[in-house]
């Protein structure tokens, strides 16, 4: 059961972290810009993996910018969040370039969780073309060195399964119990799989009833999800599912459920009484469809470099993206 006082103290620490870190994140973004420009300007092909390594600083900058505008300035738009998730997409596309050159490379700030979170947001934003490209990538490379999937976060596997069920897609031939299917497939291939959860707790209940027409039932399930998220969010700074400062008080797993239900005409609660679902991040405004964000100049530079120098770069197959 959540400790309300502890949760509120964690929230204060979460907001303070945004304020205290904004200048440092800006500085690192500018450093990345200089380093990326130098690699591209001098065409340092043997060093161009640095472009991938530095991309995380772009997403960190935009995530920090989003949080500052939402938590501190009281805005409700998702612009910076869209930019951060767009970077995650390109990190995958760029990793593909190095999958053979550096088969054992350490993936800088890699997270399967961030990949799935970006995918479901593309769905929420109505970015169909980019969503399909991203899903095809995940489907093709899941478990390989550029799409490692040994992830212990229950809500990530719930998000992936809800995405599959609501979009009529499959992975490894299934759209149910995807966590156990992936765990089994990775084990067969001798790939890391040991921390993938064997059960999903409250998320299994939600997946069984995600499309119920009963408003009271879905309201109760959302309440359980919020309770689970809140308990872990209160442990801010710990290596727990929602305690890592990134999306601690952003209940994206609930917002995605509300989105897919709304999309097929099912009723959703009109208001919530708990702390988490009344947080500023929970109440950002997402249009249908959501406009693409302006091009980040560093990301645009990186994309242009790979399009020009690597015919196998996946976006080359699809022409312009995010436009």
């Amino acid at each position: 059961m959540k400790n309300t006082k502890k949760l509120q103290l964690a929230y204060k620490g979460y907001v303070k972290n945004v304020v205290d870190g904004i200048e440092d994140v800006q500085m690192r973004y500018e450093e990345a810009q200089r380093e990326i420009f130098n690699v591209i300007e001098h065409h340092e092909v043997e060093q161009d993996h640095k472009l991938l390594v530095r991309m995380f600083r772009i997403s960190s900058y935009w995530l920090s910018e989003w949080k500052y505008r939402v938590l501190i300035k009281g805005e409700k738009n998702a612009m910076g969040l869209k930019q951060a998730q767009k970077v995650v997409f390109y990190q995958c596309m760029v990793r593909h370039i190095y999958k053979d050159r550096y088969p054992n490379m350490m993936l800088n700030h890699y997270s399967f969780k961030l990949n799935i979170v970006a995918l479901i947001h593309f769905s929420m934003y109505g970015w169909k073309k980019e969503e399909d490209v991203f899903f095809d990538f995940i489907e093709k490379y899941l478990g390989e060195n550029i799409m490692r999937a040994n992830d212990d976060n229950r809500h990530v596997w719930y998000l992936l399964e809800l995405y599959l069920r609501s979009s009529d897609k499959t992975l490894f031939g299934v759209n149910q119990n995807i966590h156990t299917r992936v765990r089994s497939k990775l084990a067969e291939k001798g790939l890391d799989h040991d921390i993938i959860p064997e059960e999903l707790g409250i998320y299994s209940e939600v997946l069984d009833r995600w499309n119920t027409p009963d408003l009271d039932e879905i309201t109760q399930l959302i309440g359980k999800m919020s309770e689970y998220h809140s308990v872990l969010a209160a442990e801010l700074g710990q290596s727990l599912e929602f305690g890592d400062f990134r999306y601690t008080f952003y209940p994206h797993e609930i917002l995605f459920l509300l989105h897919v239900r709304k999309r097929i005409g099912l009723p959703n609660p009109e208001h919530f009484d708990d702390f988490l679902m009344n947080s500023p991040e929970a109440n950002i405004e997402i249009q249908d469809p959501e406009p693409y964000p302006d091009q980040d100049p560093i990301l645009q530079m990186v994309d242009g470099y790979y399009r020009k120098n690597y015919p196998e770069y996946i976006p080359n197959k699809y022409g312009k993206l995010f436009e």
Side-chain angles (χ1 to χ4, degrees), residues 253-283:
E253 76 284 12
I254 297 174
L255 298 182
F256 185 56
L257 173 64
L258 296 173
H259 166 77
V260 298
R261 286 178 57 83
K262 180 180 179 181
R263 188 172 64 194
I264 59 176
L266 290 171
N268 285 323
E270 294 186 1
H271 68 274
F272 300 93
D273 298 324
D274 62 284
F275 183 86
L276 179 68
M277 291 303 293
N278 283 285
S279 68
E281 291 175 344
N283 288 280

Side-chain angles (χ1 to χ4, degrees), residues 60-184:
S60 293
Y61 166 76
W62 282 112
L63 186 67
S64 180
E65 174 74 7
W66 173 65
K67 288 183 179 182
Y68 187 82
R69 289 184 175 276
V70 172
L71 299 177
I72 310 303
K73 301 187 73 175
E75 298 179 9
K76 289 192 174 184
N77 74 76
M79 192 273 288
L81 181 64
K82 292 187 294 185
Q83 292 279 21
Q85 290 159 347
K86 181 179 170 183
V87 176
V88 173
F89 171 91
Y90 278 106
Q91 284 176 304
C92 289
M93 301 300 107
V94 172
R95 284 202 298 271
H96 177 263
I97 296 296
Y98 303 106
K99 68 183 180 66
D100 296 323
R101 191 193 304 182
Y102 305 118
N104 298 315
M105 66 179 173
M106 296 296 292
L107 301 182
N108 191 49
H109 298 288
Y110 172 81
S111 168
F112 184 66
K113 174 168 70 174
L114 296 185
N115 293 332
I116 300 306
V117 170
L119 175 68
I120 62 103
H121 276 85
F122 284 12
S123 176
M124 291 171 68
Y125 299 152
W127 296 352
K128 182 62 176 172
K129 181 177 182 179
E130 294 77 15
E131 175 194 336
D132 287 344
V133 174
F134 203 7
F135 179 76
D136 288 347
F137 182 91
I138 292 170
E139 182 179 35
K140 185 172 183 179
Y141 295 106
L142 184 63
E144 295 191 14
N145 65 326
I146 57 173
M147 186 53 63
R148 294 171 186 154
N150 193 24
D151 193 294
D152 63 347
N153 292 284
R154 291 178 173 179
H155 81 278
V156 171
W157 296 104
Y158 146 81
L159 282 173
L160 179 56
E161 184 163 329
L162 181 57
Y163 173 81
L164 294 174
R165 291 198 192 192
S166 63
S167 59
D168 198 28
K169 295 179 180 178
T170 63
L171 282 172
F172 296 129
V174 303
N175 66 359
Q176 297 188 30
N177 298 314
I178 190 63
H179 60 295
T180 57
R181 182 69 164 179
V182 172
R183 185 184 175 98
S184 174

Side-chain angles (χ1 to χ4, degrees), residues 182-237:
V182 172
R183 185 184 175 98
S184 174
K185 284 292 185 180
L186 296 185
E188 289 175 9
K189 296 179 180 180
L191 299 171
D192 291 341
H193 64 280
D194 56 303
I195 66 172
I196 296 176
E198 295 183 357
E199 53 84 24
L200 302 184
I202 175 55
Y203 298 123
S204 291
E205 293 184 51
V206 177
L207 288 168
D208 285 342
R209 301 294 296 161
W210 73 272
N211 56 356
T212 175
D214 188 326
L215 180 59
D216 288 339
E217 182 177 22
I218 203 65
T219 299
Q220 291 177 15
L221 288 171
I222 290 172
K224 291 181 180 180
M225 293 172 72
S226 182
E227 174 84 9
Y228 177 77
H229 187 135
S230 297
V231 168
L232 295 177
E235 303 295 336
L236 187 67

